[in-house]
Amino acid sequence: MITLRQLCAYWIQAGILCFFSSLSYAQQFDQSYHSWKTQQQAHDQRLGASSSADYYLGKPTLQKDVSKNSTSKNSTIQNLSNKININTATAQQLQQLNGIGVKKAQAIVDYRNQNGQFKTVEDLLNIKGIGPKFIEKNKSSLRL
């Protein structure tokens, strides 16, 4: 029969064994992390040395229409004689609208190419990512 003292000694030995095995795992993890961190820092230094300060991939860029001599995005939108025709506008022209970036502008052009010309400005609501607020904000800048 096992005594209480033997049972306690067994549990203590098992606990010590688990402690040292987890300590070993933690040390291996630390070494792997430090190795990864060193590689990342070296990679960041290479990127920083080879290009400008804006080398991060997550930083968005604005595409500008070089064929226009427009000085301000807002001045083009506010000028009623320069309404954007959603049936003929290029993706770069559509980017002048409030709330339209590169991807949404391309989505509008793709939708128009697949489904034909827009019959109303509200047809833009059929495009994923464009809602009633967009129509409301840009209604004065859009035409067919």
Side-chain angles (χ1 to χ4, degrees):
M1 182 167 200
I2 298 176
T3 65
L4 185 58
R5 181 177 284 176
Q6 290 172 331
L7 189 60
C8 287
Y10 171 74
W11 282 108
I12 290 172
Q13 289 174 353
I16 291 172
L17 182 62
C18 286
F19 172 75
F20 283 115
S21 66
S22 64
L23 184 64
S24 172
Y25 176 77
Q27 288 173 341
Q28 288 174 350
F29 178 81
D30 285 348
Q31 289 172 351
S32 296
Y33 171 76
H34 288 298
S35 172
W36 171 83
K37 187 175 179 181
T38 303
Q39 289 174 351
Q40 289 299 314
Q41 288 172 338
H43 184 67
D44 286 347
Q45 287 177 349
R46 282 193 307 272
L47 286 175
S50 66
S51 65
S52 69
D54 298 331
Y55 64 88
Y56 288 103
L57 296 176
K59 193 166 192 168
T61 58
L62 248 181
Q63 287 187 353
K64 294 185 179 178
D65 189 0
V66 292
S67 65
K68 287 194 169 191
N69 292 328
S70 172
T71 58
S72 168
K73 183 176 179 179
N74 291 334
S75 66
T76 304
I77 292 174
Q78 290 174 353
N79 189 348
L80 295 177
S81 64
N82 286 336
K83 285 186 174 185
I84 295 175
N85 184 332
I86 58 175
N87 286 321
T88 60
T90 65
Q92 288 180 335
Q93 291 168 333
L94 290 167
Q95 287 179 48
Q96 296 174 359
L97 295 169
N98 188 9
I100 295 291
V102 176
K103 289 186 177 185
K104 281 188 188 175
Q106 190 58 48
I108 293 171
V109 172
D110 292 343
Y111 181 88
R112 185 179 64 210
N113 290 340
Q114 291 174 355
N115 300 300
Q117 292 194 345
F118 295 100
K119 304 210 180 354
T120 65
V121 173
E122 284 74 21
D123 287 346
L124 288 169
L125 295 172
N126 297 328
I127 300 170
K128 182 180 178 184
I130 296 181
K133 286 187 179 182
F134 167 79
I135 302 290
E136 183 181 317
K137 287 180 188 176
N138 293 292
K139 192 142 190 142
S140 64
S141 302
L142 298 172
R143 69 180 176 97
L144 296 175

